[in-house]
Amino acid sequence: CKSSACCSLRELEVFSRAREVKVDPDKPLEGARLAALQARKTLLVPTPRLRTGLFNRIVPPPGATKEVLRRCATSQGVRDFSVPVGLDSKAQVDLVVVGSVAVSEKGWRIGKGEGYADMEYAMMVSMGAVQEDTPVVTIVHDCQVLDIAEELLGDHDLTVDYILTPTRTIQTHCKRPKPRGIMWHKVSSEMLGKIPILKTLRWREKQAGKDVTLQDEHPALADTSRAAIPDREVMAANPQPWSDPVNPKSVNPKSVNPKSEASDTTTTVYVGNLPGSLRVSQLKSALRELQVLPAALKWQGAQHRAFLDYRDQGAAHRALSSLQGLSLGGNALRVELAKSHRDKGQGEINTHK
């Protein structure tokens, strides 16, 4: 069974040396997560489908028994004992453990087809969490080790260095390079919309001068049957109260009063730790790039903060996810629901349509 393959993870020298280990949240890798916790490694688990960030760090309670560690390694334990890891956390992953649908002895891997493991690795490269020589391990059944035609692989596909099965440990000596970062020309607007933290990384790489043109924005790659509407056209069709697409300065954001909106249907996001030198236009630009423009913005630059009003909770939570880990002017922003919204329970979700 796969659990014996997970146990053989402990015998790998690369596991013994590792301090921080990233293991996928899938049920079959529960044994690998337990092995990392029992060896007192720092265990990082990607958030499922990257919906709310990139990593969670699993933090067992002090003095955790074997049984508690076993619970921490389960899917429920990952939810109950995790702490989000921001983009500025300086994580240094020493070992990556992934699942596979099929893998070859050459180290070529096929995943579930959704591309999340490949994207997670590319995002880790982008944030400096892995290096070229960071080993990648996959744990599979013997029947999943197959010959794979090289033409099935793309340059964004993750390769593996070790394959663990119930009966074998295979070191692949794979020569094919791993992804060297996010290949934006292969990312669709649809994927960008599904993964809020990807928007943040894209904004950062754009600020660093990199080409972040998306697949459906690229003339040579765009699928004409699903051509994306340019951001400026979307904005023109849905102008924000404080952002006139023709004349952005026509409405002064300082004069927008959040209470002018129906306060019982808006959700407010607090943004703190704004640098004193930051201008409201720079914050607006970042919000526009991340596609989380609020219905109203209250700027309090002298207090190093701003309040963003969203018309529904879903939009506010998307903004929270997108802004987590964002830095402006050298300051890591503090982002959370405004105090008046933090303790509103399920009733608010049910009553606000």
Side-chain angles (χ1 to χ4, degrees), residues 179-353:
R180 292 188 172 90
I182 300 167
M183 298 177 184
W184 295 107
H185 65 281
K186 295 196 173 184
V187 176
S188 66
S189 296
E190 183 182 6
M191 177 173 272
L192 196 70
K194 289 179 179 177
I195 306 176
I197 198 171
L198 196 55
K199 296 179 188 176
T200 309
L201 284 169
R202 185 183 183 221
W203 185 84
R204 286 187 171 194
E205 295 205 355
K206 185 175 182 180
Q207 295 295 105
K210 295 185 179 179
D211 181 1
V212 294
T213 306
L214 300 181
Q215 183 183 59
D216 38 16
E217 296 173 343
H218 210 291
L221 299 171
D223 178 354
T224 53
S225 66
R226 296 192 312 143
I229 302 171
D231 287 351
R232 61 180 178 275
E233 291 182 23
V234 174
M235 287 170 58
N238 302 286
Q240 303 298 326
W242 51 270
S243 179
D244 186 327
V246 178
N247 179 10
K249 295 183 179 178
S250 63
V251 178
N252 183 348
K254 295 181 184 181
S255 68
V256 174
N257 181 0
K259 292 181 182 177
S260 65
E261 298 285 323
S263 60
D264 61 337
T265 60
T266 59
T267 302
T268 303
V269 173
Y270 164 85
V271 182
N273 200 33
L274 296 171
S277 60
L278 190 76
R279 297 193 297 268
V280 66
S281 60
Q282 292 171 288
L283 177 60
K284 286 163 55 179
S285 175
L287 295 170
R288 186 176 295 113
E289 288 285 346
L290 296 172
Q291 300 175 7
V292 289
L293 289 167
L297 181 151
K298 185 176 181 182
W299 176 256
Q300 296 183 353
Q303 286 80 41
H304 307 286
R305 67 191 181 196
F307 294 90
L308 314 178
D309 279 359
Y310 292 91
R311 289 195 174 94
D312 59 72
Q313 278 199 333
H317 285 285
R318 284 193 295 275
L320 281 173
S321 296
S322 295
L323 294 169
Q324 289 297 336
L326 183 66
S327 294
L328 287 176
N331 284 19
L333 303 188
R334 180 183 167 198
V335 186
E336 58 193 45
L337 287 178
K339 288 182 181 177
S340 60
H341 295 276
R342 285 183 211 160
D343 301 318
K344 292 186 180 180
Q346 189 66 32
E348 182 180 28
I349 297 173
N350 292 336
T351 56
H352 296 347
K353 305 296 182 189

Side-chain angles (χ1 to χ4, degrees), residues 27-331:
K27 170 73 175 174
L29 295 178
E30 197 172 293
R33 295 193 293 274
L34 179 60
L37 291 172
Q38 289 178 333
R40 300 294 186 259
K41 313 284 187 187
T42 297
L43 174 60
L44 300 174
V45 178
T47 60
R49 305 178 75 85
L50 302 173
R51 280 187 295 261
T52 57
L54 181 52
F55 291 135
N56 285 322
R57 186 172 72 252
I58 311 306
V59 183
T65 62
K66 282 185 179 180
E67 191 51 45
V68 171
L69 290 180
R70 194 174 298 279
R71 196 162 75 245
C72 290
T74 65
S75 298
Q76 185 62 46
V78 166
R79 289 190 287 272
D80 292 345
F81 297 97
S82 64
V83 176
V85 175
L87 287 178
D88 294 314
S89 64
K90 309 300 181 193
Q92 281 297 324
V93 178
D94 303 305
L95 182 67
V96 175
V97 183
V98 296
S100 301
V101 170
V103 63
S104 78
E105 292 190 21
K106 293 180 178 179
W108 302 346
R109 171 188 173 275
I110 294 177
K112 297 175 185 175
E114 296 177 300
Y116 284 103
D118 305 315
M119 179 56 73
E120 286 160 10
Y121 185 87
M123 290 166 73
M124 287 192 288
V125 172
S126 181
M127 63 187 283
V130 294
Q131 312 303 319
E132 281 186 36
D133 60 349
T134 303
V136 177
V137 176
T138 192
I139 298 175
V140 294
H141 290 290
D142 287 280
C143 61
Q144 292 172 276
V145 182
L146 305 166
D147 289 331
I148 296 173
E150 188 166 9
E151 52 265 27
L152 293 177
L153 303 181
D155 50 5
H156 63 285
D157 285 321
L158 180 62
T159 56
V160 303
D161 303 293
Y162 295 88
I163 303 167
L164 304 184
T165 80
T167 64
R168 293 195 291 168
T169 296
I170 304 167
Q171 187 170 0
T172 67
H173 302 288
C174 186
K175 299 294 190 291
R176 190 181 179 90
K178 295 182 175 68
R180 292 188 172 90
I182 300 167
M183 298 177 184
W184 295 107
H185 65 281
K186 295 196 173 184
V187 176
S188 66
S189 296
E190 183 182 6
M191 177 173 272
L192 196 70
K194 289 179 179 177
I195 306 176
I197 198 171
L198 196 55
K199 296 179 188 176
T200 309
L201 284 169
R202 185 183 183 221
W203 185 84
R204 286 187 171 194
E205 295 205 355
K206 185 175 182 180
Q207 295 295 105
K210 295 185 179 179
D211 181 1
V212 294
T213 306
L214 300 181
Q215 183 183 59
D216 38 16
E217 296 173 343
H218 210 291
L221 299 171
D223 178 354
T224 53
S225 66
R226 296 192 312 143
I229 302 171
D231 287 351
R232 61 180 178 275
E233 291 182 23
V234 174
M235 287 170 58
N238 302 286
Q240 303 298 326
W242 51 270
S243 179
D244 186 327
V246 178
N247 179 10
K249 295 183 179 178
S250 63
V251 178
N252 183 348
K254 295 181 184 181
S255 68
V256 174
N257 181 0
K259 292 181 182 177
S260 65
E261 298 285 323
S263 60
D264 61 337
T265 60
T266 59
T267 302
T268 303
V269 173
Y270 164 85
V271 182
N273 200 33
L274 296 171
S277 60
L278 190 76
R279 297 193 297 268
V280 66
S281 60
Q282 292 171 288
L283 177 60
K284 286 163 55 179
S285 175
L287 295 170
R288 186 176 295 113
E289 288 285 346
L290 296 172
Q291 300 175 7
V292 289
L293 289 167
L297 181 151
K298 185 176 181 182
W299 176 256
Q300 296 183 353
Q303 286 80 41
H304 307 286
R305 67 191 181 196
F307 294 90
L308 314 178
D309 279 359
Y310 292 91
R311 289 195 174 94
D312 59 72
Q313 278 199 333
H317 285 285
R318 284 193 295 275
L320 281 173
S321 296
S322 295
L323 294 169
Q324 289 297 336
L326 183 66
S327 294
L328 287 176
N331 284 19

